[in-house]
Amino acid sequence: MSDIRYRHWISSMGRKSAASVHQLKTLPPTSEAFVENVKRAHFQACIWRSSLTGEAPDMDPSENSWVSDDDFGVLMPVTLPPQTEIAPTAVMKLIQCGCSSKTPYSTDRCGCVAGQMSCSAFCRCRAEIRTCRNRWTLLKRIEDANDSDEDESNDEDDSDD
C-alpha cells in the first residue's frame, strides 16, 4: 500500500505546475497509518454495537490504536506506530508547509510544526537558521550535528589503526 501511495502522489504532483505547493495533507495514508486507522475503526464499531446490548466490549483501547492522555483524561488516537516515517525521505524533501502566520514556523498553524516534522528548502522559511523557528527543524539540526560529530570521531578512530 505504501508503494502505491507513493506512486499515486508522485503522479498527481507531476501534473501540477512547478510553482504549486507540495503539502503534507496531499499525501495519502501509509500502510502503517491505514492499519492504525482500521484498529481504531474496529474498536469504535465494537463500542457502537455493544451499545445495543448495554454491555461494554471486553477490549483494551491501548491495544486498538488509542493512548491515554492522563493530563486531560482522554484517549488520543495513535496515527502511526512509534519510529515510523510518515513518508519516504525524497517526498519529505518536497513538502512545503505554506505557513503564513505572523510568527512563521513556531505555532501549530505551520503545517510542518503540526505534522511534527522539520521544514525543508521548499518552505517559505527555507529552513534557514535566521528565519525558521520550527522546533522540529531545530531538533533535526542538533541531531545532524551530533551525527556529524560521531562520524568524525569514528573516522579518527579508524585512522588510528
Side-chain angles (χ1 to χ4, degrees):
M1 184 169 170
S2 290
D3 184 50
I4 292 168
R5 164 188 178 255
Y6 177 70
R7 284 188 278 141
H8 170 73
W9 187 79
I10 292 297
S11 69
S12 66
M13 289 296 108
R15 290 185 292 242
K16 296 188 182 281
S17 69
S20 67
V21 176
H22 301 300
Q23 295 184 346
L24 180 62
K25 65 184 177 186
T26 64
L27 285 172
T30 62
S31 298
E32 295 85 0
F34 178 75
V35 168
E36 298 301 314
N37 194 23
V38 168
K39 287 179 186 177
R40 287 191 310 277
H42 174 70
F43 182 72
Q44 187 63 53
C46 289
I47 289 174
W48 288 339
R49 187 167 190 187
S50 71
S51 69
L52 299 173
T53 64
E55 295 181 26
D58 187 25
M59 298 174 73
D60 183 2
S62 65
E63 293 176 5
N64 291 280
S65 295
W66 293 93
V67 63
S68 178
D69 183 341
D70 296 331
D71 293 337
F72 295 101
V74 297
L75 290 174
M76 299 295 293
V78 175
T79 54
L80 280 176
Q83 309 302 322
T84 303
E85 294 292 326
I86 61 173
T89 305
V91 172
M92 296 306 290
K93 290 180 180 180
L94 297 174
I95 300 296
Q96 178 181 12
C97 60
C99 183
S100 60
S101 71
K102 291 184 179 176
T103 56
Y105 320 105
S106 61
T107 67
D108 281 347
R109 288 176 139 179
C110 168
C112 291
V113 172
Q116 297 183 354
M117 54 189 242
S118 63
C119 290
S120 71
F122 289 97
C123 295
R124 189 167 292 143
C125 69
R126 304 278 184 243
E128 292 177 357
I129 293 173
R130 294 177 290 114
T131 56
C132 185
R133 298 290 176 253
N134 177 345
R135 63 184 169 269
W136 304 103
T137 304
L138 300 173
L139 288 171
K140 184 168 180 356
R141 281 192 199 116
I142 292 168
E143 287 174 4
D144 289 349
N146 289 341
D147 288 346
S148 176
D149 291 345
E150 287 176 12
D151 290 345
E152 287 176 13
S153 68
N154 288 339
D155 289 346
E156 290 172 5
D157 291 344
D158 291 343
S159 64
D160 291 342
D161 294 339

